[in-house]
Amino acid sequence: MSERPTRTETDSLGSMEIPSDAYWGIHTARAFENFDISKRPISVYPHLIVALASVKQAAARANAELGSLNPEKAELIDRACQRVIDGEFHDEFCVGVIQGGAGTSTNMNANEVITNIALEMAGREKGDYAFISPYDHTNRSQSTNDVYPTAIKIALARSLTDLLDELELLRQSFAAKGQEFRHVLKVGRTQLQDAVPMTLGQEFHGFATTLGEDHGRLSETIWLLAEINLGATAIGTGITADPRYASVVVRHLNEITGLKLETAPDLVESTSDAGAFMSFSSALKRSAIKLSKICNDLRLLSSGPQAGFGEINLPAKQAGSSIMPGKVNPVIPEVMNQIAFSVVGADTTVTMAAEGGQLQLNAFEPVIAHSLLQSILWMARGCHTLRVNSVDGITANEDRLETMVGTSVGVVTALTPFIGYTAAAALAKTALLTNRNIADLVVEADLMTREEVTKQLSPARLSGLEAITTAIPVIDGDAEHTPVGREATES
């Protein structure tokens, strides 16, 4: 077999042979040797690749408008960027997500790929950098230090939209279950001990509400991503760029992306500070933790099916054991838990990377980008599988719930305004010892009539959906146990 044809490329460190058909070049090749770590190329985050091409396209247009770049070359670079934005050549963005150099390998991978696409469209050979150069033309008026963080923010904004869409669909799914289970009574729990009754619908509606709140909080973080340092070049002074470049390039970038980006008021500060990424990460962590808590509840409520809570049934998705026949595990909530654990770890990583920046640049933005983009991607996919493979198919064990409510001492709390605390406590003790129905015990003790008990223990009143509207009489706890509270029950 003949060897793969190559071309020779040279940089300040020497020469290397590059595959002739590769759109990347020598800087990308050196990154292969130096950062063979994650085994994950930056192309696993398509939004990042599109963001990089968008920045390069905006730069080409701004440089052409300002007369800093030959119009023919600018047009070729612009068209090459558009092809990347449209989804072509993403597999050529192949440097590892974890890399040293503050993202220089990623920026140069983009410069080389876009340059060689432009050269090919011009009828030139790949690597003909005398005609269009990755450095002098595609990277004109730019530095990794302003291109890379700007691209990260654009990619995060796009990825966040995907997550918000999935989070809203999941909220709707929980809300639908809240409506479906609105009349199903159950025993509420505090500190894992029986409390007072509620409906299963209220429980699921609560899940929907907390997800709605998180949707709002995450939506608010978009402003953290709006301030960019494009035009700062190396450290924020704008060296090598036209003084007008920063304002012109952000205008073009907004037209390309449809976002509302704005130039930071202090480019030196903006180039060195990673606080926005840290705040954004914290919002992701909050959402992940709340999702994990909900999944903990789903696993508890579905535990059993015989020796656990057994209140709801999660859809059976796969066999749960290689040794115990018939066992089915809550695998979908479990995977959401693990995603949350990863997001928490990623948040710590982002925090330490933000702290580790020194002087005029944070060299650790690659791990910040990877941590945040992975967290968003996994959370969006986790929300999708939780909705489609679990929540939408949840059913209630109504017979079991009815039995649990009927024998729960928590029910007697609803009767204390009518029979008094002392009598209620005695009945609760009897119910615990005999496992008998609370309503039956109240009627047998001639404390209330069957009609009165039934009314007060209706799902609407037990769950608080229907309030007692008349005054509740004062009960003398030392009085003889006689039918009391009749007046209040007439409402």
Side-chain angles (χ1 to χ4, degrees), residues 45 277-278 280-282 284-285 288 338-354 364 367-376 378-379:
Y45 303 124
F277 296 129
M278 191 161 50
F280 184 80
S281 181
S282 295
L284 286 179
K285 182 179 71 171
Q338 292 174 81
I339 290 170
F341 304 158
S342 177
V343 172
V344 173
D347 178 64
T348 301
T349 298
V350 171
T351 300
M352 296 310 300
F364 308 120
V367 77
I368 290 176
H370 168 58
S371 298
L372 293 177
L373 289 169
Q374 176 177 275
S375 290
I376 296 176
W378 285 13
M379 284 178 66

Side-chain angles (χ1 to χ4, degrees), residues 167-168 171 206-217 290:
L167 196 61
E168 171 58 17
R171 185 202 66 78
F207 295 154
T209 298
T210 196
L211 293 180
E213 290 176 351
D214 261 23
H215 188 284
R217 299 297 80 74
K290 294 175 77 171

Side-chain angles (χ1 to χ4, degrees), residues 181-254:
F181 300 146
R182 66 189 182 280
H183 297 311
V184 181
L185 271 178
K186 61 160 288 175
V187 178
R189 295 181 181 84
T190 57
Q191 296 165 272
L192 288 179
Q193 304 300 302
D194 297 349
V196 296
M198 64 186 300
T199 67
L200 190 60
Q202 287 174 314
E203 194 160 31
F204 274 76
H205 187 271
F207 295 154
T209 298
T210 196
L211 293 180
E213 290 176 351
D214 261 23
H215 188 284
R217 299 297 80 74
L218 282 172
S219 297
E220 291 168 359
T221 63
I222 196 71
W223 71 269
L224 294 168
L225 308 173
E227 186 178 280
I228 61 173
N229 72 328
L230 198 60
T233 65
I235 64 170
T237 60
I239 192 170
T240 75
D242 187 295
R244 300 166 293 171
Y245 172 78
S247 61
V248 174
V249 75
V250 74
R251 169 166 51 82
H252 283 290
L253 190 55
N254 283 333

Side-chain angles (χ1 to χ4, degrees), residues 311-323:
E311 296 188 5
I312 62 172
N313 305 300
L314 302 181
K317 304 308 296 184
Q318 63 187 60
S321 174
S322 61
I323 188 173

